[in-house]
Amino acid sequence: MLKPTMLMRGLSIIWLVIFIFFLALPLGAVVVKSFEGVDGWTLHNYEQALTSGKFKEAFFNSVWVSTIAAVITTVLAFLLAYTVHFTNVAKPIKKFIRLGVTLPMLLPTITYGFVLIYAFGNQGIFSRLFGQPLFTIYGFNGLVIGYVLYTLPAAFLLMHNAMQYMDHRFIIVSHLMGDGKWRRFYHTILRPMLSPIGGAFILAFILSFTDYGIPASVGGTYDVIATTLYQTMLGSIPSFSQGAVISMAMLAPAVLGMIMMGILERGNVSYKSLSQQVAFASTTKTVLFGSGSVIVVLALIAVFTPLIIVPFTTAYPFDFDFTLAHFQAVIQMPELMNVYRNSLLVAIGTALVGVVLAFVAGLLSARTKLKSRQAFDVMAMITNAVPGMVLGLGYLFFFNNSSLKGTFFIIIAYTIIHFFTTPFLMVKNALQKMDPSWEVTGALLRDSWLKTIYRIILPNVKKTLIEVFSYYFINAMVTVSGVIFLVTTHTVLVSTKIKELQHFSKFNEIFILSLFILVTNILVKVVCEFYINRQSKRG
Amino acid sequence: MNKKAMGFLTVASSAIVLAACGSSSANSNDQVIIYSNADDEAIEVMQNTLNEKGFEGEYIIQSVGTSELGGKLLAEGKSIEADVVTMASYYIDSADAQHEMFLDLTSSQALIDEMSNVQLPILGNVGSIFINTEMLAQKGLDTPTSIKDLTNPQYKNLISIPNIMDSSTGWLLVQAVIAEYGEQEGQQILADLIQNVGPHLESSGSGPIKKVKTGEVPIGFGLRAQAIDAKEEGLPIDTIDPIEGNYSLVESVAVIDKEDDEKEQKAQEIALTIANEARVQLLTQYPVALYEGESVSDEPAYLKKWATTLTVELLQQHQAIFEAAKQ
């Protein structure tokens, strides 16, 4: 590794300033606000929140419903990942499972709620199919289903990733040693997977606990903490200091979860070499897990069918004739098309700037000896733990009186910081795997650091950067939670417009806008995959 | 530095510039921004009127829920993004008392009820019960005549009402109940009603009519005008004026004092156009006379007004009663 140069130090200082300005200070503003009283510092805000029955109820509702959802998600994600890695299910089916389960990631969570109403409500597609509603969709049930849909992709990817690095030869050895089924399952799969399973549970819990979109659409009278925060901040009688206290409460389980995740990580099992040859998967197991997983994924996709049915029927549920009238009406509304352009601008801006920032942070952290490089790991940890709503609120408090208020810049900055963890880790991991002596070799050949980066590092990390681009783009398109506090008339995004249309129950528009997001995200994903594949073939 | 390295830096910096440009183009706009809590039908009338009077492209209407807009007015004062708001009159008064944030507006017509001079009324919202007649018959239910009737167990989970915590339409219901039965009995009636409503307590005032229209529930409480519209669309919907009274809320237009003369003038012109020119059409949709000389057909049977001036403080009291009834 090279000795730190002025350039490296300069870049790192720039990054640290960004970090302080767009993460530390806004969060500090939330903390300060929570202790702010009419005259000076006070604990009164906390006292008030803790004695309020409404707040306590919402908090425990959130804990309870998120726990149930996280348990279901963890079990499902494990089964799906297990099917993909440890059975002989045909390759196309495995691919179908892998792609199908990640579908919900391409839509805002607020859309799921509306889709659920039209799938399982009194007039829902499935209710009509079965002659009556199967269950009440508003409140607890809707929240659990919505949260499972929302968290399953992330939990699945986590386990899928962990199973990729498991050595299947241990299973063969276990077979040869004549272990019983359960003993083999426990020692070769469950025990090495304990840490990712725990991680998936915590992840699913935190995502559910802090999500705003699903309760906003399907929560009914079941109050959860995210809707309470929204009501407190933007309700009829707003209280900013109470909002700050609720934010702090929202932060607590997330921070706890991050700490537990750190502890779990120590239990990680690592393998010296890998063999992905699937070992002795019996036909029964293959059929059982294969069909089970396919049913789960089909059910998941089926939930989203109202999205392509409702907006294309004349007047659901009275007139089922096919029509493009609603679609045309939306396209012709100048205001809605503006909103779509806004979203594209934010997504592209976030993705482009995000790639640069994640790359620089990863580079400084993985390939320099800078003392400040640990700051990037700390920052990644923090952004992972801070819920979007809390960060958004921090921005509202901190930038309220600045000229940045109400600009696209602030929305892009928020989105980059909020989703920073994954891109940073992707870049860092990719850079760490590269030969550590490249820069030194470059320096010996009298290439500058920048030149080495450009000629050697960048080409090798291109694939990862495209993945980062796609990650940032998609998340910027679907995020609602924090940006609801930041958008103004000129910067309304598709996802926040959906929230607004809810006010008038304009479901056709809601679904068509959701389709806009979905199709855009699929396009970006396909184009990015195409480039990644081309890179792989070349490499 | 070679060309390629330069190229990389150019891409990186242009990305940042692009983001920055996006933000500046958003600010360089001199359109008058109107925040409105009105229904989309009313917004359409305002839009058509403004466009006819030559304001097309010079304004942008942003719909915001009543409680959200109220919260913004109280919290942000003059620094609110909007130049003009159309909003429940009591909120405009409360916000003005706190922040002195509105300009004076004078109308050419005389008002029936006295109002503060920072606002001009544009429509009156009236609450009523409405039913989906087909569904009611299908389920063999009695037709209710009062809000108290709705507490009958036969309607369990079959009624949708707006939540007073988020919607001013919800307040119309609470006003009727408290005025008729007093706070104590009123709270009990609300408690029984909320029990019956179950999952159909809506955060938006137009939630109940949508649910009754789509047949999610046979009975709802909400804006009378919307139910009449639905009936005119040919849907099996009837309005029932509850014997407790059809209470009404006035919505007004007001101009925010932005200390920017040019834009302020345009904002005032737009506000006056909404108040004076859109009124005729709004009156047919919301049949409550607000200016002297206005006549309405199809007036609600039990039109009533709360005895004292409506204020945010009164709303808070009624919200507390509602919340207590919810427990």
Side-chain angles (χ1 to χ4, degrees), chain B residues 20-94:
Chain B
C21 282
S23 62
S24 65
S25 71
N27 279 341
S28 64
N29 219 313
D30 57 352
Q31 283 175 317
V32 169
I33 295 174
I34 307 169
Y35 274 14
S36 175
N37 76 324
D39 302 317
D40 46 348
E41 290 88 357
I43 287 182
E44 213 182 301
V45 172
M46 291 183 222
Q47 250 166 352
N48 291 342
T49 314
L50 288 175
N51 292 350
E52 272 167 33
K53 298 289 167 189
F55 289 105
E56 191 159 5
E58 293 187 34
Y59 68 93
I60 176 164
I61 299 188
Q62 172 71 34
S63 21
V64 191
T66 306
S67 66
E68 211 171 307
L69 181 50
K72 271 181 189 290
L73 285 170
L74 294 180
E76 296 179 19
K78 278 184 195 178
S79 61
I80 194 169
E81 189 201 9
D83 304 298
V84 175
V85 293
T86 87
M87 180 59 175
S89 60
Y90 62 91
Y91 255 123
I92 293 178
D93 284 336
S94 290

Side-chain angles (χ1 to χ4, degrees), chain B:
Chain B
M1 211 185 297
N2 73 0
K3 272 186 186 170
K4 282 184 173 178
M6 280 299 288
F8 168 65
L9 285 179
T10 318
V11 170
S13 50
S14 61
I16 294 167
V17 171
L18 172 92
C21 282
S23 62
S24 65
S25 71
N27 279 341
S28 64
N29 219 313
D30 57 352
Q31 283 175 317
V32 169
I33 295 174
I34 307 169
Y35 274 14
S36 175
N37 76 324
D39 302 317
D40 46 348
E41 290 88 357
I43 287 182
E44 213 182 301
V45 172
M46 291 183 222
Q47 250 166 352
N48 291 342
T49 314
L50 288 175
N51 292 350
E52 272 167 33
K53 298 289 167 189
F55 289 105
E56 191 159 5
E58 293 187 34
Y59 68 93
I60 176 164
I61 299 188
Q62 172 71 34
S63 21
V64 191
T66 306
S67 66
E68 211 171 307
L69 181 50
K72 271 181 189 290
L73 285 170
L74 294 180
E76 296 179 19
K78 278 184 195 178
S79 61
I80 194 169
E81 189 201 9
D83 304 298
V84 175
V85 293
T86 87
M87 180 59 175
S89 60
Y90 62 91
Y91 255 123
I92 293 178
D93 284 336
S94 290
D96 198 49
Q98 256 185 48
H99 303 287
E100 290 185 25
M101 59 186 287
F102 297 106
L103 294 174
D104 281 354
L105 280 180
T106 33
S107 169
S108 42
Q109 286 162 281
L111 288 168
I112 294 177
D113 289 318
E114 209 175 300
M115 281 190 113
S116 61
N117 48 10
V118 294
Q119 55 180 310
L120 288 176
I122 54 170
L123 59 89
N125 268 325
V126 176
S128 85
I129 300 172
F130 37 76
I131 50 170
N132 183 321
T133 48
E134 261 176 30
M135 230 188 132
L136 208 68
Q138 208 180 58
K139 300 218 177 244
L141 298 167
D142 301 329
T143 306
T145 60
S146 67
I147 298 174
K148 196 178 181 182
D149 281 354
L150 301 180
T151 58
N152 188 322
Q154 67 168 314
Y155 303 120
K156 179 121 188 101
N157 290 337
L158 297 173
I159 308 165
S160 179
I161 64 167
N163 189 345
I164 187 177
M165 300 308 288
D166 309 289
S167 152
S168 58
T169 311
W171 198 11
L172 297 175
L173 177 120
V174 176
Q175 280 179 39
V177 170
I178 293 178
E180 182 74 22
Y181 306 104
E183 287 193 10
Q184 219 173 359
E185 198 193 344
Q187 185 168 325
Q188 188 54 48
I189 289 175
L190 286 174
D192 295 341
L193 178 61
I194 294 166
Q195 275 294 318
N196 257 3
V197 164
H200 303 295
L201 185 64
E202 302 294 309
S203 59
S204 154
S206 42
I209 186 70
K210 302 282 170 172
K211 283 202 159 172
V212 172
K213 271 162 92 171
T214 55
E216 283 280 302
V217 291
I219 306 170
F221 183 95
L223 295 183
R224 192 173 182 273
Q226 291 181 333
I228 291 172
D229 278 353
K231 189 176 185 174
E232 278 168 9
E233 278 171 36
L235 296 173
I237 297 208
D238 262 340
T239 48
I240 294 170
D241 294 324
I243 53 175
E244 288 93 349
N246 302 90
Y247 278 78
S248 70
L249 280 177
V250 171
E251 309 226 325
S252 298
V253 63
V255 180
I256 287 125
D257 184 0
K258 287 268 167 138
E259 282 138 31
D260 169 356
D261 291 339
E262 211 175 306
K263 205 169 177 187
E264 233 169 55
Q265 205 188 339
K266 206 202 280 177
Q268 262 178 321
E269 283 168 30
I270 281 178
L272 286 175
T273 307
I274 293 173
N276 298 331
E277 312 289 339
R279 179 69 194 136
V280 183
Q281 237 182 311
L282 286 171
L283 187 62
T284 57
Q285 266 181 34
Y286 304 88
V288 179
L290 298 171
Y291 294 90
E292 271 172 22
E294 286 179 338
S295 62
V296 268
S297 55
D298 189 28
E299 207 169 60
Y302 308 104
L303 198 58
K304 280 184 193 168
K305 268 183 203 146
W306 189 259
T308 57
T309 319
L310 297 177
T311 59
V312 173
E313 288 71 35
L314 184 69
L315 171 63
Q316 256 171 309
Q317 282 172 30
H318 287 184
Q319 281 183 335
I321 293 172
F322 190 84
E323 276 299 294
K326 236 173 108 180
Q327 300 303 319

Side-chain angles (χ1 to χ4, degrees), chain A residues 1-41:
Chain A
M1 248 179 248
L2 289 177
K3 275 195 181 152
T5 60
M6 286 295 282
L7 181 62
M8 292 177 194
R9 289 215 170 89
L11 280 176
S12 130
I13 287 170
I14 293 175
W15 230 127
L16 293 180
V17 169
I18 294 177
F19 168 39
I20 289 169
F21 209 63
F22 291 102
L23 181 67
L25 291 176
L27 287 180
V30 177
V31 177
V32 167
K33 199 57 125 186
S34 74
F35 290 107
E36 220 173 69
V38 188
D39 27 40
W41 301 97

Side-chain angles (χ1 to χ4, degrees), chain A residues 172-249:
Chain A
I172 302 176
V173 172
S174 175
H175 262 285
L176 295 176
M177 287 173 67
D179 285 345
K181 251 188 214 163
W182 291 109
R183 188 184 159 81
R184 181 164 65 242
F185 175 72
Y186 175 76
H187 281 289
T188 61
I189 294 169
L190 197 61
R191 222 189 63 76
M193 277 298 288
L194 274 183
S195 160
I197 289 173
F201 174 83
I202 293 169
L203 183 69
F205 178 86
I206 294 175
L207 286 176
S208 307
F209 189 81
T210 57
D211 175 64
Y212 170 72
I214 292 162
S217 44
V218 83
T221 45
Y222 196 82
D223 289 329
V224 291
I225 194 153
T227 41
T228 309
L229 174 57
Y230 183 83
Q231 247 181 23
T232 311
M233 286 305 298
L234 296 176
S236 50
I237 296 136
S239 164
F240 287 180
S241 46
Q242 277 298 307
V245 171
I246 298 173
S247 293
M248 300 302 284

